Amino acid sequence: MAESNVKVLGTWASPFVMRVKIALHLKSVRYEDVEEDLLAPKSELLLKSNPVYKKIPVFFHAHNPICESLIILQYIDEVWTTSASSILPSDPYERSQSRFWAAYVDDKFFPALRRLLIGATEEDKKAALAEVVGGTVVLEGAFGELSKGKAFFGGDNIGFVDIALGSLLGWIEVIGKQCETKLVSEAKTPRLVQWADCFSAHEAVKDVLPDVDKLADFGLKLRAKILKALAPTN
Amino acid sequence: MAEEVVLLDFWPSLFGMRSRIALAEKGIKYEYKEEDLRNKSALLLQMNPVHKKIPVLIHNGKPVCESLIQVQYIDEVWHDKAPLLPSDPYQKATVRFWADYIDKKIYDLGSRVWKTKGEEQATAKKEFIESLKLIEKELGDKPYFGGESFGYVDVAFIPFYSWFYAYEKCGNFSIEAECPKLIAWAKRCMQKESVAKSLPDQQKVYDFILQMKKHFGIE
């Protein structure tokens, strides 16, 4: 069903934007896709709608802007309620577990992944790699707990944690190739490997995850931009 | 079966205070267990193996970690008394945004105020005051962040009031001079029993911070 006044301000390469699109696909909500160029100065719309962080994604519903991807996901889940496509579980304890693991992805796993991408020295990269691989092992354990033998963290269907972690799969592959390591490996995390395949093939996901070569190319440009910004000026 | 609620905590923890307040708002009886963070208990390590941090809320033997997740859990389980989050999805998103801002910005900037000195501290102080002013703007003329009633953002932020004196002494500035509305709001919150009983004395917090500075070799 077409929804007016539903807009996503973001970019094809951002995993945080991908989360929002996956959630909307899951709920069969049509939206306007507004592309922000991360390599160019920030747009007026972005600066106006997210004055606090000036970051994408920004989700618009009936002209109300909502920021922070995990907050957006919960909003989408609460507005478009069909039990068939519930993003968070209904039980409060299970909800707290889903929130915990999504927060782990954002607060621990993603920063380590980012450090691995932009690591300037071999030492930085080595430390970041150990953290990322350690993180995948922790997430393998979480998968065991949450999935209860089913295909996804969310059980029979994809849920909050699947979307939070799954949106990073493109970058995980790109960064892994750069380091010549499989970050999600069969040896250490067999269940996650299987989960990654199921997630990527899901109806709501497959058109959202970007082409890995295109992402790799973008990754090089983004890394250069970040390192230039971090470099001390004389 | 009787509800069994345990909170693993550490008295000056801003995060632990949130859960204490939420539990008190709902009138829930619980067992408070003080942790020695230099010698973490087996229970803490078992209940929070991922982060090994307090607070940990244990409800009928099952752990919930991360303070804002605990507050939302408490609000959802004991939903028939003193609602903390609004029911409207857009308002919910707004309160979640500001609670998250408090954790991402205010907490880190406040830490830098007491942990650093000189040039670094001056910068931290400036950014900290800016972040307080931003949240003061969000409060506006409302009695609470939650509007007419005490809510989620109030719970998330009021613990910081117990640390204000320490920040002020370490940074040599007055928060009331910069953000009078925030202080008025804080004093209003302190009138509530749930808050007054959950926050430690400001002098005690300052003494603790001085000990921490000595321990870390900061001035």
Side-chain angles (χ1 to χ4, degrees):
Chain A
M1 178 172 137
E3 286 273 350
S4 59
N5 297 324
V6 181
K7 211 155 64 167
V8 178
L9 174 62
T11 180
W12 63 272
S14 161
F16 305 102
V17 174
M18 287 177 221
R19 290 171 176 180
V20 178
K21 293 180 178 177
I22 292 168
L24 291 168
H25 289 193
L26 211 56
K27 301 282 188 180
S28 305
V29 175
R30 286 166 66 176
Y31 58 94
E32 187 191 340
D33 197 349
V34 183
E35 187 75 13
E36 176 81 19
D37 182 357
L38 282 193
L39 302 172
K42 299 187 187 215
S43 70
E44 264 310 303
L45 178 62
L46 176 58
L47 297 175
K48 209 175 106 188
S49 59
N50 191 355
V52 176
Y53 298 117
K54 307 174 179 56
K55 285 181 169 181
I56 47 97
V58 182
F59 179 70
F60 297 87
H61 183 214
H63 309 293
N64 287 329
I66 299 164
C67 307
E68 297 301 294
S69 62
L70 295 182
I71 293 175
I72 297 168
L73 250 51
Q74 292 181 84
Y75 175 83
I76 291 170
D77 203 32
E78 288 157 14
V79 170
W80 289 279
T81 51
T82 64
S83 60
S85 59
S86 219
I87 294 172
L88 274 160
S90 49
D91 172 70
Y93 187 72
E94 288 177 22
R95 289 159 77 81
S96 76
Q97 297 305 93
S98 293
R99 286 176 175 139
F100 175 86
W101 286 109
Y104 176 84
V105 171
D106 275 4
D107 300 339
K108 297 279 172 195
F109 188 69
F110 176 75
L113 198 61
R114 191 175 183 274
R115 278 194 294 275
L116 188 53
L117 172 70
I118 67 172
T121 68
E122 274 315 302
E123 220 179 281
D124 291 340
K125 280 181 138 42
K126 204 172 160 202
L129 180 62
E131 262 192 83
V132 170
V133 172
T136 64
V137 174
V138 172
L139 289 164
E140 172 90 355
F143 182 78
E145 270 177 53
L146 264 58
S147 65
K148 300 188 180 61
K150 305 271 170 85
F152 301 107
F153 285 91
D156 284 318
N157 207 348
I158 63 172
F160 201 58
V161 184
D162 298 280
I163 299 172
L165 181 59
S167 57
L168 297 177
L169 285 171
W171 281 103
I172 288 172
E173 198 178 329
V174 165
I175 296 166
K177 278 192 171 146
Q178 266 181 34
C179 306
E180 290 161 11
T181 319
K182 263 195 161 313
L183 298 177
V184 179
S185 70
E186 188 65 50
K188 289 198 156 88
T189 57
R191 284 189 281 201
L192 278 189
V193 170
Q194 213 175 13
W195 162 81
D197 286 338
C198 292
F199 180 82
S200 306
H202 192 283
E203 253 330 289
V205 174
K206 60 186 168 70
D207 296 328
V208 176
L209 292 191
D211 170 69
V212 173
D213 291 326
K214 196 179 170 199
L215 198 62
D217 187 55
F218 177 81
L220 289 172
K221 296 194 177 102
L222 184 66
R223 184 174 185 270
K225 184 183 181 216
I226 293 171
L227 290 179
K228 190 172 170 201
L230 289 175
T233 48
N234 284 2
Chain B
M1 179 182 139
E3 299 272 25
E4 201 197 75
V5 182
V6 178
L7 184 69
L8 304 183
D9 201 349
F10 178 50
W11 69 269
S13 164
L14 294 165
F15 306 105
M17 286 176 223
R18 291 167 169 174
S19 301
R20 289 174 227 166
I21 295 167
L23 289 165
E25 279 287 297
K26 304 284 186 175
I28 298 158
K29 290 207 183 333
Y30 67 98
E31 188 190 347
Y32 178 94
K33 283 194 164 159
E34 187 74 22
E35 281 285 331
D36 176 1
L37 296 185
R38 293 158 304 179
N39 186 22
K40 295 179 180 183
S41 72
L43 182 63
L44 173 58
L45 300 176
Q46 184 201 351
M47 291 286 148
N48 191 357
V50 176
H51 303 299
K52 305 173 175 54
K53 284 178 166 182
I54 54 91
V56 181
L57 178 74
I58 311 172
H59 184 204
N60 294 332
K62 299 200 289 195
V64 179
C65 304
E66 300 299 295
S67 64
L68 293 180
I69 295 176
Q70 288 164 4
V71 174
Q72 291 182 83
Y73 175 78
I74 290 164
D75 201 40
E76 288 166 16
V77 172
W78 292 279
H79 51 79
D80 42 5
K81 187 179 173 188
L84 296 171
L85 277 100
S87 47
D88 172 71
Y90 183 65
Q91 285 178 30
K92 254 197 204 163
T94 306
V95 304
R96 284 178 175 142
F97 176 87
W98 288 108
D100 179 64
Y101 175 82
I102 290 161
D103 276 4
K104 276 196 180 57
K105 294 278 176 192
I106 299 183
Y107 178 73
D108 281 341
L109 292 170
S111 292
R112 293 221 309 259
V113 168
W114 71 262
K115 280 183 178 168
T116 62
K117 49 185 175 166
E119 191 75 52
E120 225 191 313
Q121 193 192 44
T123 309
K125 217 167 83 182
K126 181 171 168 278
E127 291 178 10
F128 180 60
I129 292 167
E130 271 166 24
S131 73
L132 290 179
K133 286 188 166 162
L134 187 62
I135 202 134
E136 189 185 48
K137 201 170 139 204
E138 178 58 23
L139 175 67
D141 290 316
K142 306 194 295 286
Y144 299 105
F145 284 94
E148 288 306 309
S149 45
F150 187 77
Y152 187 62
V153 180
D154 301 282
V155 174
F157 193 42
I158 191 61
F160 285 76
Y161 181 62
S162 67
W163 281 55
F164 277 5
Y165 180 68
Y167 292 138
E168 287 173 327
K169 292 286 281 186
C170 292
N172 191 26
F173 68 115
S174 159
I175 294 175
E176 183 151 21
E178 302 285 350
C179 303
K181 280 185 171 172
L182 270 190
I183 299 301
W185 159 81
K187 290 182 174 166
R188 188 176 300 122
C189 292
M190 288 296 287
Q191 306 263 336
K192 291 174 71 63
E193 200 184 337
S194 61
V195 175
K197 285 196 160 166
S198 304
L199 264 55
D201 172 66
Q202 294 204 31
Q203 179 67 51
K204 208 176 161 199
V205 171
Y206 179 51
D207 292 338
F208 167 75
I209 291 298
L210 288 179
Q211 264 186 6
M212 292 290 280
K213 279 164 80 92
K214 225 190 219 173
H215 176 77
F216 285 114
I218 307 162
E219 181 179 89

PDB file of all heavy atoms in Angstrom, chain B residues 74 79 155:
ATOM      1  N   ILE B  74      11.438  -2.321  32.906  1.00  0.00           N
ATOM      2  CA  ILE B  74      10.655  -2.066  34.125  1.00  0.00           C
ATOM      3  C   ILE B  74       9.323  -1.416  33.749  1.00  0.00           C
ATOM      4  O   ILE B  74       8.257  -1.795  34.245  1.00  0.00           O
ATOM      5  CB  ILE B  74      11.457  -1.189  35.120  1.00  0.00           C
ATOM      6  CG1 ILE B  74      12.634  -1.974  35.707  1.00  0.00           C
ATOM      7  CG2 ILE B  74      10.558  -0.648  36.240  1.00  0.00           C
ATOM      8  CD1 ILE B  74      13.694  -1.118  36.396  1.00  0.00           C
ATOM      9  N   HIS B  79       3.510  -2.118  33.981  1.00  0.00           N
ATOM     10  CA  HIS B  79       2.957  -1.068  33.143  1.00  0.00           C
ATOM     11  C   HIS B  79       1.727  -0.388  33.719  1.00  0.00           C
ATOM     12  O   HIS B  79       1.248   0.602  33.182  1.00  0.00           O
ATOM     13  CB  HIS B  79       2.606  -1.633  31.754  1.00  0.00           C
ATOM     14  CG  HIS B  79       1.776  -2.875  31.827  1.00  0.00           C
ATOM     15  ND1 HIS B  79       0.418  -2.849  32.056  1.00  0.00           N
ATOM     16  CD2 HIS B  79       2.115  -4.189  31.738  1.00  0.00           C
ATOM     17  CE1 HIS B  79      -0.036  -4.083  32.090  1.00  0.00           C
ATOM     18  NE2 HIS B  79       0.961  -4.920  31.898  1.00  0.00           N
ATOM     19  N   VAL B 155      14.149  10.425  34.233  1.00  0.00           N
ATOM     20  CA  VAL B 155      14.839   9.307  34.890  1.00  0.00           C
ATOM     21  C   VAL B 155      16.279   9.189  34.371  1.00  0.00           C
ATOM     22  O   VAL B 155      17.213   8.968  35.132  1.00  0.00           O
ATOM     23  CB  VAL B 155      14.097   7.966  34.650  1.00  0.00           C
ATOM     24  CG1 VAL B 155      14.887   6.790  35.216  1.00  0.00           C
ATOM     25  CG2 VAL B 155      12.713   7.995  35.267  1.00  0.00           C
TER      26      VAL B 155
END
